[in-house]
Amino acid sequence: MISKYRNGEISSGQSYIMIISMMVGTGILGLARSAAAISQQDAWISVLLNGLSIGFMVGLIIFVISKFPNCTFFQYTSFLLSKPIAYVIVCLYGFYAVLTTSVIIRLLCELIGTWFLPKTPLFVISFIIVLTLIYITKDGLTSVGRFNEIVVFSIIPFIFLMFPSLSQASLLNLRPVGGSGFTNIIKGVIPSFYAFAGYEVLLLIYPYISNKNKNNLKYSVVSIIFVTLLYTSMVASQIALFGYQEIADILYTFIHYLDVLDFPIIERIEIFFTFFWTFSVLGTLTIQYIAGCIAFQSILKVKKINTFVYFLAPIVFILSLLPQNSVKVVSISEIIGKANIGFGFVLPILLLLMYILKGKRVNHEKGM
């Protein structure tokens, strides 16, 4: 693939699309349940606060890494935090990306097995997904960016599917606003981290944007705001329909939400949703997986990205089969959401502080 970057390149527009595609994935299924378990009827406020804080963090991330436009994640982390620490951080991110990819694959297997292929063994579905993942990512970021340009259109049905069931919703289920207490609202932010996880991939893909400009910051934050409003609306509508007490006992709340009404044209709306949602999750998978490959490539000095695409595939496949059931998968995903705090919040703040303390810019061509 012809490009001026070794791992391929993406446009600034593709980077915004990739942020949206990355975040609108598996987290949508149980977001209302995990947040309402703590924030009760105010779960939508917790989700809104989480999205706003993440928008701020994305702005912070781009501010820092834009000072090193031609440096990779490993290079600018080495400059700011020292090379030994950079090795540890990049390696941990690689493991984090691989584990997240395997969990997302398993969640996708569960849904496909339930709604489309109930008699097909789980390992067969996982194997097909991994093969698809290899095919899309083997040529680097350029292919991943183009694929997600197409995938982002699968998010549109999510927006329209929220409205029909609202006819049976009651605003009383959202009252009293703030009634769960300020402490619970803040605590409810943490369980929703998994749904928003993925924006930290900017730490790795930003150097590969071919047309960086001053609008990168603005439109990246706009992408986060779009996802925040989408998630907040979905959580509020689900609580308004069911009430937070009932949501706490539903594993995949959004699918249950769709099943309330009978649609005149589409008899099984949950299958319609799962079809489009599958493409959205594939977009998330490709970005997360290629980010993990780039992380390992940067510290092991391997020239071709597809070396890691092929090498990590069996590991991802095996890990996706380890959880015993859907409940275990969901609990693991919530743990990953907490791990996201490290890469999405702690690391960017640490990089910013070190950049301020250094008081100077790195030579952008150093080590390139």
Side-chain angles (χ1 to χ4, degrees):
M1 183 160 291
I2 300 174
S3 66
K4 64 181 181 180
Y5 295 102
R6 187 171 58 186
N7 294 329
E9 61 184 45
I10 55 175
S11 66
S12 56
Q14 287 174 330
S15 71
Y16 315 140
I17 287 173
M18 289 172 72
I19 292 174
I20 295 174
S21 180
M22 184 72 179
M23 297 177 71
V24 181
T26 55
I28 195 174
L29 297 178
L31 174 59
R33 177 190 57 79
S34 58
I38 299 176
S39 304
Q40 303 175 2
Q41 75 276 7
D42 296 318
W44 65 274
I45 302 178
S46 298
V47 173
L48 179 61
L49 291 176
N50 193 9
L52 293 176
S53 64
I54 286 174
F56 173 78
M57 294 308 302
V58 166
L60 190 153
I61 288 172
I62 293 181
F63 172 78
V64 174
I65 61 181
S66 64
K67 308 303 180 183
F68 310 90
N70 297 321
C71 294
T72 65
F73 179 43
F74 175 70
Q75 289 169 338
Y76 67 74
T77 305
S78 297
F79 174 78
L80 293 175
L81 301 176
S82 80
K83 187 166 288 188
I85 295 177
Y87 273 112
V88 173
I89 291 175
V90 176
C91 191
L92 286 175
Y93 187 95
F95 287 121
Y96 162 79
V98 168
L99 180 59
T100 304
T101 300
S102 64
V103 170
I104 296 173
I105 289 174
R106 178 56 183 270
L107 283 167
L108 185 56
C109 288
E110 296 280 350
L111 266 293
I112 292 176
T114 300
W115 302 111
F116 295 118
L117 304 171
K119 295 183 179 180
T120 304
L122 196 67
F123 74 89
V124 175
I125 301 175
S126 179
F127 183 71
I128 293 173
I129 294 173
V130 171
L131 287 181
T132 305
L133 190 60
I134 292 172
Y135 179 75
I136 297 172
T137 58
K138 64 183 176 62
D139 291 321
L141 271 173
T142 304
S143 295
V144 173
R146 291 171 180 172
F147 176 73
N148 279 276
E149 282 185 292
I150 300 172
V151 163
V152 77
F153 289 103
S154 66
I155 297 172
I156 296 175
F158 296 161
I159 300 173
F160 292 105
L161 288 174
M162 284 192 297
F163 298 112
S165 297
L166 290 178
S167 61
Q168 297 185 17
S170 173
L171 292 178
L172 291 176
N173 289 328
L174 296 171
R175 297 177 182 176
V177 176
S180 64
F182 178 77
T183 302
N184 285 335
I185 291 175
I186 298 301
K187 288 181 179 179
V189 171
I190 298 176
S192 61
F193 272 123
Y194 177 70
F196 285 91
Y199 65 93
E200 70 281 355
V201 77
L202 274 170
L203 292 165
L204 285 96
I205 69 171
Y206 184 85
Y208 300 99
I209 298 175
S210 59
N211 57 336
K212 301 179 185 71
N213 54 59
K214 60 182 180 181
N215 291 323
N216 288 133
L217 174 59
K218 178 173 68 175
Y219 289 115
S220 295
V221 173
V222 168
S223 300
I224 300 298
I225 292 174
F226 169 78
V227 176
T228 300
L229 294 177
L230 177 63
Y231 276 168
T232 302
S233 301
M234 287 183 170
V235 172
S237 61
Q238 290 170 53
I239 294 175
L241 181 62
F242 299 119
Y244 74 88
Q245 298 94 336
E246 185 176 345
I247 282 179
D249 298 323
I250 302 172
L251 186 60
Y252 298 132
T253 54
F254 190 70
I255 292 180
H256 193 63
Y257 174 82
L258 297 176
D259 205 29
V260 170
L261 285 182
D262 292 326
F263 287 75
I265 299 176
I266 305 172
E267 184 176 354
R268 299 289 302 277
I269 188 63
E270 68 275 13
I271 294 180
F272 176 78
F273 160 76
T274 306
F275 176 79
F276 284 96
W277 179 82
T278 298
F279 287 100
S280 177
V281 175
L282 278 175
T284 301
L285 278 172
T286 58
I287 301 169
Q288 190 69 267
Y289 189 59
I290 197 70
C293 293
I294 290 173
F296 285 120
Q297 182 196 29
S298 66
I299 58 177
L300 296 177
K301 308 296 183 182
V302 177
K303 291 184 178 180
K304 294 184 178 181
I305 189 69
N306 58 14
T307 301
F308 288 97
V309 170
Y310 295 128
F311 176 76
L312 294 175
I315 299 174
V316 167
F317 172 69
I318 294 171
L319 289 175
S320 71
L321 300 177
L322 293 182
Q324 297 176 350
N325 50 50
S326 298
V327 176
K328 187 66 175 178
V329 177
V330 171
S331 73
I332 294 174
S333 68
E334 291 176 352
I335 294 173
I336 291 175
K338 294 177 182 178
N340 172 256
I341 298 174
F343 293 108
F345 278 79
V346 177
L347 179 58
I349 292 174
L350 183 59
L351 292 174
L352 174 64
L353 292 176
M354 292 307 299
Y355 175 75
I356 294 173
L357 290 175
K358 292 280 185 179
K360 61 180 180 179
R361 296 192 181 191
V362 65
N363 180 0
H364 295 156
E365 302 300 326
K366 182 179 179 180
M368 297 299 292

